[in-house]
Amino acid sequence: MLATKTNTEYIKIACDATMYPKLCYHSLTIYANKIKTNPKELATTALNITLKATKSTSRMMIKMSKIPGLMPKEAVEAMTDCIEVINDSVDELQQSIEEMGDIKSSNFGVIMSDIQTWVSAALTDEDTCMDGLKGKPMNTNVKTMLRRHVVKVSHLTSNALALVNTYASTNPASP
């Protein structure tokens, strides 16, 4: 029990440094026994959670875009563009997770720089998606649901980037 308490306290303190600390804490505490007090595991877990949510959002958007008559043609085109950039985000997050597994002390700085770039690009893609949907004629309920999903993914990505940045600043001798 003490180890679990220490682990969750570690997550809380780490999440306090993110833009969305409540979301960070609630998404990561269920993995406290896996994360322990390891900053690399914390960042990797945050990336995995973000990837899962981003994939789910992409699948939901693809399904919605195929429902006949749900959106006007202009909105479907915006949704198609949004799906494309969200899928780019998925690719960037997957690449980041793969690279986290390949970090060695000899290549730490270079790999972390790449990961920070990819996660930042994923965040930009999500913002691009939201910008593309603005002002498009769309059912209010559909637009609200899309916005809620993309904003959540964007917040998770922002938190993951903050935790990656924290890990990058540690530059451990043996990650």
Side-chain angles (χ1 to χ4, degrees), residues 13 19 71 114 116 148:
I13 291 165
M19 291 284 288
M71 293 176 274
D114 288 347
Q116 289 168 308
R148 185 175 65 239

Side-chain angles (χ1 to χ4, degrees), residues 147-162:
R147 179 169 165 64
R148 185 175 65 239
H149 283 272
V150 176
V151 165
K152 181 178 181 185
V153 164
S154 180
H155 289 181
L156 286 168
T157 305
S158 172
N159 286 345
L161 180 58

Side-chain angles (χ1 to χ4, degrees), residues 18-38:
T18 68
M19 291 284 288
Y20 309 98
K22 284 183 181 175
L23 176 63
C24 178
Y25 182 76
H26 290 298
S27 64
L28 289 166
T29 53
I30 59 173
Y31 302 100
N33 289 334
K34 178 182 176 208
I35 294 167
K36 297 184 179 25
T37 58
N38 182 327

Side-chain angles (χ1 to χ4, degrees), residues 57 60-61 64 67 70 79 130 133 138-152:
T57 296
M60 181 264 309
M61 293 173 80
M64 288 179 68
I67 298 172
L70 184 63
M79 175 82 93
M130 284 309 302
L133 295 175
M138 195 180 292
N139 174 304
T140 307
N141 293 334
V142 171
K143 197 174 224 176
T144 300
M145 184 170 58
L146 286 174
R147 179 169 165 64
R148 185 175 65 239
H149 283 272
V150 176
V151 165
K152 181 178 181 185

Side-chain angles (χ1 to χ4, degrees), residues 5 7 56-57 68 91 97-98 106 121 130 145 149-150 154 167 171-172:
K5 187 171 195 268
N7 298 344
S56 175
T57 296
D91 292 343
I97 291 164
E98 287 172 23
S106 60
M130 284 309 302
M145 184 170 58
H149 283 272
V150 176
S154 180
Y167 176 55
N171 199 357

